[in-house]
């Protein structure tokens, strides 16, 4: 047998040059230099919790569809002229805009963005076009197992919380009007609490100056809106959602975890890796590589402003729905009761450290990572500390986190599939409740 | 706006066993990308073995001469890296992105499976099950599954090679055997049929020595002769339809054959630009007309090749338009409006600034893709394999910028109804 070559030291991870500035209107801006390509990436998030779901969706799609002086086509053409593009959308926490352009076009990109942030007019024609498109998209989503099982899971995870329903009714979307969108924009599309990240092939201070020139005049005055913390998940029967005609069952499980600021965050992210967070995990080895039940089983920790949860997902052949769910629970139980091996931990640790390094090696990756952290209130310096923590977390800390967060009896389970086939075999060994 | 060029350094050499190698250094971050591309894809599958190229791709991850099952994943990920593979019409790729200190390890792992993958009956049965679940999740259990990439070829083409289902029928997948896999490996996974590309933070001489050390002793086998897959141009319109039991709304795909991407690159490139002129962004001709003005479609996209990769496909391939329609939408209306807009472009030409803004946006898209080291290694490997020189990658932004309005207009004038293929999705469920 030939021996696999050892690792050699990788070059040092040099943190990119960074500058931060809070504009007088409250907009928090971070700029970073990455010179690998002559481009600029931008990310913007504006607090949007509790915004009306239907109006929020239509506002996101129509934000860039016209101002007093420019039509939707004018804006799109001007963006293209600098190699640029912008897109906007809303979720339960944020109105988010992301885009990119040739670096020489950054000033123009920012001007066009500012034009819409301060002067979007939501033309009746474009509102009508977009609300119909969104309603159609929702109609399609309602035939997609991934969407349906997600909606059922959110309902199970967040009873009584605004996160419980994150997709509007098509009828509500079709009722969106210019006046209501303009009102929502005036109340919520404001710089206070908003975050902007730029990664570009240029001096970060100069990028901040560009932002200040373009967006310094964006007037503050947003309503302050907060969300209550999401309720902690507790065990209960498996929620079964019938989807007649399904040729697979979509299984999801969720457990309450902790915010990125918690001392448990780093060890828990390693627990997630070992469980199902990457290909070399227990879940993939078990239900894919050993048993062939599924193509892409995985788990991940999702952080929203008012909740953190570990979510497990597997789409499995209908006839193995019961066995697959049993293995998902078994692996949770095994990891919560028995400490992982040193080798397993080391592998998860190296993967976590390495993929952060890879994620920072493109402009787009660095911009998205920086925005993700900034959205959790984490500023310059946090990532270095997190890398250090990931590198030094002990096996005992990881085992302790697994014990406290992974108990299979505390998880919420949802299964979507052909109920007439899967209900009986599931009910024979666990409690099942129809959605 | 001036279109920027890339100046990635390119070192190319060929090992004694025929393996072609491309090294492209970039010290801007302490990471590397490794890509191995084999010149075999969906088109090379034998009759009765639809889906075999993709199934075989799965088998390449199941262990090799010096590595047991699961070891490949663990070595890559335990080094802080990521990996994947994918099967295309004309090639199959395997790739890793890693911290730079894991480069030699990744080269060893790729060499080990190029030398001898573990093609056992047990691994085969396991991966047939996994692939069936992949097809269920991506095609059978969702609306618009496989649309349009699996739906156009059977209508557009007449030969098995070009027309068959590239994901594979369950009957064919289940009847695959380990000796089939051995035979496929012996013929197509030859050193002479592969290209290795490495990008990122390394010393070129040291990297070359590592490549020679790990790949140099793989017994050489020549590339098999590549069959001529070309088909004659269509002389009359072809239409197809699918009733999709999970789709609530109609959809339409339209395709026209384009010039040979490899042997007639000068004629082909204007079609790559044309697809963007027609569909990129809210200011594009078809978006403005169909989505914003007529509202006869809710979205329109356009691209070259069934996997939307203009610089990773050989002849025959197509320019494809894909539209989703509102409830009760009329596909004939879309077809006639597209004809009208194509005619307006062919006879009226481009507006002032229209071409240059599209070219600027194309440059951003291309540079953004190349910013990822693993994508850069992949594109260089494919370009080396299909076009004989990876350094052409550096010329692409400039060449896109040099396409003229006259060339785009001439390309548009070939998108005629009698050369057209269209596939309609008929909704099988109420919206």
């Amino acid at each position: 047998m030939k021996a696999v070559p050892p690792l050699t030291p990788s070059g040092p991870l040099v943190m990119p040059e960074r500058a931060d500035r809070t504009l007088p209107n409250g907009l928090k801006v971070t700029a970073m230099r990455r010179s690998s390509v002559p481009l600029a990436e931008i990310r913007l998030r504006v607090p949007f919790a509790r915004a009306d779901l239907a109006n929020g969706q239509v506002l996101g799609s129509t934000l860039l569809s016209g101002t007093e002086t420019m039509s939707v086509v004018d804006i799109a053409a001007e963006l293209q002229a600098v190699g640029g593009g912008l897109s906007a959308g809303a979720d339960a926490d944020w109105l988010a805009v992301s885009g990119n352009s040739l670096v020489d076009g950054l000033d123009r990109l920012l001007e066009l963005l500012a034009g819409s942030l301060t002067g979007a007019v939501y033309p009746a024609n474009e509102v009508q076009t977009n609300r119909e498109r969104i309603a159609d998209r929702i109609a399609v989503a309602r035939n997609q197992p991934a969407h349906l099982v997600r909606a059922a899971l959110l309902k199970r995870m967040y009873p009584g919380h605004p996160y419980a329903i994150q997709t509007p009714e098509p009828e509500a979307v079709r009722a969106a009007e210019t006046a209501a969108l303009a009102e929502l924009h005036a109340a919520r599309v404001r710089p206070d609490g908003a975050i902007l990240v730029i990664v570009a092939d240029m001096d970060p201070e100069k990028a901040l100056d560009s932002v200040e020139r373009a967006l310094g005049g964006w007037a503050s005055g947003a309503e302050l809106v907060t969300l209550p913390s999401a309720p902690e998940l507790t065990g209960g029967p498996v929620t079964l959602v019938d989807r007649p005609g399904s040729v697979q069952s979509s299984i999801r499980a969720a457990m309450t975890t902790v915010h990125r600021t918690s001392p448990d965050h780093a060890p828990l992210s390693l627990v997630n890796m070992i469980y199902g967070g990457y290909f070399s995990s227990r879940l993939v080895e078990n239900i894919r590589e050993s048993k062939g039940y599924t193509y892409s089983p995985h788990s991940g920790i999702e952080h929203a402003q008012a909740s953190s949860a570990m979510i497990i997902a597997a789409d499995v052949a209908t006839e193995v729905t019961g066995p697959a769910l049993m293995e998902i629970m078994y692996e949770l139980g095994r990891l919560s009761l028995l400490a992982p091996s040193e080798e397993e931990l080391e592998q998860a640790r190296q993967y976590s450290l390495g993929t952060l390094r890879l994620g920072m090696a493109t402009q787009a990756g660095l911009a998205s990572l920086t925005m993700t952290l900034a959205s959790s209130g984490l500023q310059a310096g946090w990532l270095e500390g997190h890398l250090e923590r990931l590198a030094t977390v002990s096996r005992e800390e990881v085992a302790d986190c697994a014990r406290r967060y992974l108990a299979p009896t505390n998880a919420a389970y949802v299964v979507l599939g052909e109920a007439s086939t899967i209900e009986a075999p599931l009910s024979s060994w666990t409690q099942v409740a129809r959605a | 706006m001036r279109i920027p060029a890339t100046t990635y350094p390119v070192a190319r050499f060929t090992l004694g066993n025929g393996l072609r190698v491309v090294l492209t250094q970039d010290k801007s971050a302490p990471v590397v990308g490794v890509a191995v591309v084999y010149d075999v894809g969906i088109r090379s599958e034998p009759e009765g073995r639809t889906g075999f190229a993709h199934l075989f791709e799965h088998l390449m991850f199941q262990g090799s001469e010096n590595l047991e099952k699961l070891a490949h994943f663990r070595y890559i990920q335990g080094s802080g890296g990521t990996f994947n593979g994918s099967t295309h019409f004309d090639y199959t790729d395997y790739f890793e992105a890693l911290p730079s200190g894991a480069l030699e390890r990744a080269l060893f792992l790729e060499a080990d499976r190029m030398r001898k993958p573990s093609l056992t009956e047990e691994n085969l049965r396991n991966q047939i099950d996994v692939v069936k679940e992949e097809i269920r999740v991506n095609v059978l259990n969702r609306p618009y599954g496989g649309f349009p990439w699996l739906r156009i070829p059977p209508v557009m083409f007449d030969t098995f090679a070009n027309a068959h289902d590239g994901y594979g029928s369950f009957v064919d997948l289940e009847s695959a055997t380990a000796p089939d896999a051995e035979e496929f490996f012996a013929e197509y996974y030859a050193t002479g049929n592969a290209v290795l590309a490495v990008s990122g933070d390394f010393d070129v001489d040291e990297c070359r020595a590592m490549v020679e050390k790990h790949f140099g002793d793989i017994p050489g086998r020549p590339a098999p002769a590549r069959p001529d897959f070309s088909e004659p141009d269509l002389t009359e319109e072809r239409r197809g339809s699918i009733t999709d039991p999970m789709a609530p709304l109609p959809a339409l795909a339209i395709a026209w054959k384009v010039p040979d991407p490899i042997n007639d690159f000068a004629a082909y490139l204007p079609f790559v630009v044309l697809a963007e002129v027609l569909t990129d962004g809210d200011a594009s001709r078809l978006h403005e007309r169909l989505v914003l003005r007529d509202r006869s479609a809710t979205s329109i996209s356009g691209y070259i090749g069934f996997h939307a990769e203009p610089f990773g496909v050989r002849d025959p391939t197509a320019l494809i338009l894909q539209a989703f329609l509102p409830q009760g939408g009329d596909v004939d209306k879309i077809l006639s409006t597209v004809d009208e807009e194509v005619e307006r472009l062919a006879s009226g030409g481009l507006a002032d600034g229209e071409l240059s803004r599209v070219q600027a946006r194309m440059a951003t898209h291309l540079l953004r893709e190349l910013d990822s080291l693993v994508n850069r290694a992949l594109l260089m490997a494919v370009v080396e394999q299909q076009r004989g020189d990876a350094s052409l990658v550096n010329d692409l932004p400039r060449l896109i910028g040099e396409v003229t309005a006259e060339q785009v207009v001439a390309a548009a004038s070939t998108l005629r109804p009698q050369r057209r293929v269209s596939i309609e999705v008929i909704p099988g469920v109420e919206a």
Side-chain angles (χ1 to χ4, degrees):
Chain A
M1 294 282 276
K2 287 192 184 182
V4 177
L7 299 178
T8 58
S10 293
L13 179 62
V14 179
M15 287 292 164
E17 195 185 334
R18 165 173 181 150
D20 295 274
R21 190 182 296 178
T22 301
L23 305 191
N25 61 13
L27 180 65
K28 287 193 177 69
V29 192
T30 297
M32 296 170 123
R33 188 204 293 268
R34 183 165 163 79
S35 300
S36 48
V37 278
L39 302 178
E41 286 286 333
I42 77 163
R43 303 285 183 274
L44 171 70
R45 283 188 183 177
V46 179
F48 221 50
R50 291 189 190 274
D52 176 79
L53 271 184
N55 285 334
Q57 295 284 317
V58 181
L59 181 146
S61 332
T62 321
L63 175 67
L64 301 157
S65 293
T67 63
E68 287 296 343
T69 54
M70 296 180 85
S71 71
V72 55
V73 172
D74 293 338
I75 293 171
E78 292 277 315
L79 281 169
Q80 260 189 334
V82 294
L86 287 171
S87 65
D91 67 20
D93 290 322
W94 304 100
L95 172 69
V97 182
S98 87
N100 47 70
S101 70
L102 297 171
V103 67
D104 294 342
L106 177 62
D107 281 329
R108 187 70 186 125
L109 184 82
L110 289 168
E111 275 171 29
L112 290 161
L113 174 61
S116 289
L117 291 172
T118 59
V121 294
Y122 303 97
N125 195 53
E126 274 63 44
V127 169
Q128 203 181 336
T129 303
N130 282 333
R131 70 191 186 195
E132 294 300 323
R133 296 171 68 191
I134 294 167
D136 276 1
R137 210 152 54 215
I138 294 167
V140 171
R142 287 182 169 179
N143 287 281
Q144 275 161 347
H147 172 83
L148 292 169
V149 74
R150 174 84 186 171
L153 182 67
L154 293 174
K155 222 175 246 180
R156 169 73 177 81
M157 288 173 71
Y158 301 113
H161 192 274
Y163 287 169
I165 298 176
Q166 301 193 9
T167 309
E169 292 299 317
E171 300 71 38
V173 169
R174 289 202 168 94
E177 300 277 2
T178 297
L181 301 180
E183 198 179 310
L184 179 58
H185 185 113
R188 304 299 301 275
V189 185
R190 299 281 181 180
D192 359 10
I195 308 160
L196 180 69
V197 171
I198 294 187
V199 176
D201 177 16
M202 69 186 287
D203 175 5
E205 287 292 343
K206 289 206 168 108
L208 293 182
D209 292 343
S210 290
V211 173
E212 187 145 11
R213 272 195 305 276
L215 289 165
W218 185 15
S220 56
E223 284 173 29
L224 182 69
V225 178
T226 54
L227 288 175
S229 283
E232 200 151 307
L233 284 165
T234 53
V238 173
T239 302
L240 176 62
V241 187
D242 189 21
R243 180 172 179 263
S246 284
V247 296
Q248 275 182 327
S249 296
S250 305
I251 303 177
R252 301 293 183 270
M255 280 142 288
T256 301
T257 60
V258 288
H259 196 250
R260 286 192 178 88
T261 50
S262 162
D264 286 346
H265 172 59
L268 198 48
S269 69
L270 294 169
V271 168
N272 170 62
M273 284 300 163
I274 293 166
Y275 179 80
Y278 68 146
F279 202 95
S280 305
S281 64
R282 294 178 175 192
L283 187 67
V284 175
E285 177 174 341
N286 182 338
I287 63 175
R288 172 177 156 137
E289 291 299 295
S290 166
K291 302 196 173 70
Y293 290 167
T294 173
Y295 170 58
S296 57
H298 59 277
S299 68
I301 297 180
E302 296 184 4
H303 297 281
Q305 291 303 93
S307 137
S308 292
M310 178 166 147
I311 307 227
I312 302 164
D315 297 296
V316 308
T318 299
E319 64 272 19
V320 296
T321 306
L325 181 60
M326 178 60 94
E327 295 299 336
I328 287 169
M329 293 179 179
Y330 163 75
E331 293 294 357
L332 283 172
R334 187 161 73 99
L335 190 52
S336 69
L337 289 169
L338 301 168
S341 70
E342 280 292 351
E343 194 188 351
E344 242 183 330
L345 171 59
E346 210 41 45
Q347 188 176 280
R349 191 197 307 278
Q350 291 310 318
Y351 181 75
S352 303
L353 291 167
T355 47
L356 274 167
R357 184 179 275 246
L358 293 169
M360 295 170 64
T362 63
Q363 284 187 349
L366 183 60
S368 294
L369 174 66
T370 306
M371 176 52 89
T372 298
L373 298 182
S375 303
S376 291
L378 306 171
Q379 297 303 318
W382 183 86
L383 187 60
E384 291 90 325
H386 179 60
L387 289 164
E388 178 62 26
R389 179 102 173 102
L390 279 175
T392 53
V393 161
S394 71
R395 182 168 166 242
E396 288 67 34
E397 286 175 280
V398 168
D400 181 55
C401 264
R403 181 181 59 73
R404 287 186 287 122
Y405 294 97
L406 249 59
T409 42
N410 288 343
Y413 301 93
V414 176
V415 179
L416 173 134
E418 176 67 69
S420 64
T421 313
I422 61 180
E423 186 164 26
L426 283 175
S427 300
S428 69
W429 64 275
T430 187
Q431 279 198 307
V432 174
R434 287 279 196 124
Chain B
M1 180 141 291
R2 189 185 55 84
I3 293 194
T6 59
T7 52
Y8 300 124
V10 177
R12 305 165 55 231
F13 55 93
T14 303
L15 300 187
N17 57 18
L19 177 68
R20 285 157 290 166
V21 183
V22 177
L23 306 182
T24 180
Q25 188 195 54
D26 181 336
K27 293 191 162 285
S28 70
V31 297
V32 291
V34 174
V36 177
V37 171
Y38 295 93
D39 199 342
V40 58
I42 290 166
R43 287 197 235 253
S44 297
E45 290 165 353
E47 294 203 36
R49 288 290 175 271
T50 59
F52 197 80
H54 171 240
L55 177 61
F56 190 86
E57 175 221 307
H58 277 242
L59 293 178
M60 286 290 279
F61 290 93
Q62 294 292 307
S64 51
E65 186 165 50
N66 294 288
L67 295 163
E68 58 189 23
K69 178 163 166 142
L70 303 177
H72 182 90
F73 311 124
R74 289 176 181 166
Y75 277 117
I76 296 290
Q77 295 191 315
S79 310
T82 59
F83 65 85
N84 214 335
S86 63
T87 307
H88 303 243
F89 282 83
D90 292 303
Y91 69 94
T92 307
D93 61 28
Y94 301 86
F95 51 92
E96 295 84 37
L98 315 105
S100 50
L103 174 58
E104 183 168 7
R105 176 170 286 186
L107 295 172
F108 173 89
L109 297 174
E110 286 299 349
D112 208 52
R113 61 180 169 182
M114 186 181 288
R115 190 180 292 109
K116 194 176 189 322
S118 293
L119 305 173
T120 68
E121 195 63 32
E122 188 186 353
N123 288 339
L124 179 66
R125 292 300 134 201
N126 169 247
Q127 290 303 310
I128 288 170
D129 284 344
V130 170
V131 166
K132 281 164 65 181
E133 294 315 308
E134 178 178 351
I135 294 171
R136 286 189 173 121
V137 78
N138 285 336
V139 182
L140 302 175
N141 203 37
R142 66 191 294 175
Y144 313 103
F147 175 77
W149 79 275
L150 292 173
R151 308 301 179 196
I152 299 172
V155 179
M156 181 159 215
F157 298 119
D158 296 326
T159 62
F160 172 83
N162 295 319
H164 75 269
D165 175 355
Y167 239 151
S169 73
F170 282 13
V171 170
D172 283 2
L173 289 169
E174 279 161 5
S175 53
T177 66
D180 290 340
E182 291 290 356
E183 205 176 301
F184 196 79
F185 177 77
E187 177 153 13
Y188 295 111
Y189 280 67
T191 46
N193 209 34
V195 173
L196 164 70
V198 186
S199 58
D201 185 11
F202 52 76
D203 175 274
V204 172
D205 291 336
E206 284 173 19
C207 184
R208 181 172 180 146
M210 282 185 233
V211 169
E212 282 168 355
K213 175 178 168 193
H214 294 293
F215 288 87
D217 65 353
I218 299 173
R221 303 195 305 281
R226 191 171 184 279
D228 177 8
F229 291 120
S230 65
E231 292 197 26
D233 202 1
L234 299 189
T235 51
E236 62 180 37
E237 182 185 5
R238 294 185 180 184
R239 299 185 69 154
S241 69
I242 318 135
T243 300
D244 183 333
M246 297 181 198
L249 296 164
L252 175 70
I254 314 173
W256 295 265
K257 273 188 71 185
V258 293
D260 186 328
I262 310 299
N263 298 311
D264 199 0
F265 190 54
Y268 169 77
L269 197 56
F271 285 84
V272 180
V273 178
L274 172 62
E276 306 299 314
V277 167
L278 291 174
T279 64
D280 181 60
D282 288 354
S284 65
R285 286 183 176 236
L286 290 179
H287 184 90
E288 186 182 356
R289 176 72 194 273
L290 296 168
V291 178
L292 297 177
R293 200 187 326 162
D294 295 358
R295 293 195 197 131
S296 52
T298 51
S299 74
I300 176 90
S301 55
Y303 47 90
I304 303 272
F306 301 104
H307 287 136
E309 45 171 354
F311 309 115
V313 69
R314 291 193 175 106
D315 185 66
T317 192
L319 184 153
I320 294 151
L321 300 175
Q322 181 180 341
F324 287 87
L325 280 61
Q327 193 170 5
D330 177 0
V331 299
D332 287 322
K333 180 83 180 81
I334 304 280
L335 287 169
S336 62
T337 310
V338 167
D339 288 343
E340 202 181 305
E341 285 298 323
V342 165
E343 175 55 35
R344 192 168 70 86
L345 177 55
S347 59
L350 288 146
D352 275 354
E354 188 178 3
L355 179 58
S356 62
R357 64 177 162 83
V358 169
Q359 287 165 323
R361 185 65 184 149
M362 289 177 76
T364 298
H365 281 309
L366 185 62
L367 292 167
R368 212 166 166 256
E369 186 193 334
L370 291 171
D371 191 23
S372 148
L373 282 170
V374 72
N375 286 349
R376 197 182 309 163
L378 278 165
L379 187 62
M380 287 210 179
V382 172
V383 167
E384 175 72 26
Q385 183 163 80
Q386 299 188 345
R387 300 175 183 278
D389 185 356
S391 50
L392 179 70
V393 168
N394 279 324
D395 298 330
L396 287 176
R398 176 180 61 77
L399 292 171
I400 287 167
E402 284 172 4
V403 168
T404 65
E406 292 68 35
Q407 289 176 304
V408 173
V409 165
S413 70
T414 70
L415 305 189
R416 297 302 183 193
Q418 68 273 14
R419 296 183 60 248
R420 179 177 76 200
V421 172
S422 63
I423 313 289
E424 174 184 3
V425 176
I426 300 168
V429 62
E430 282 198 26

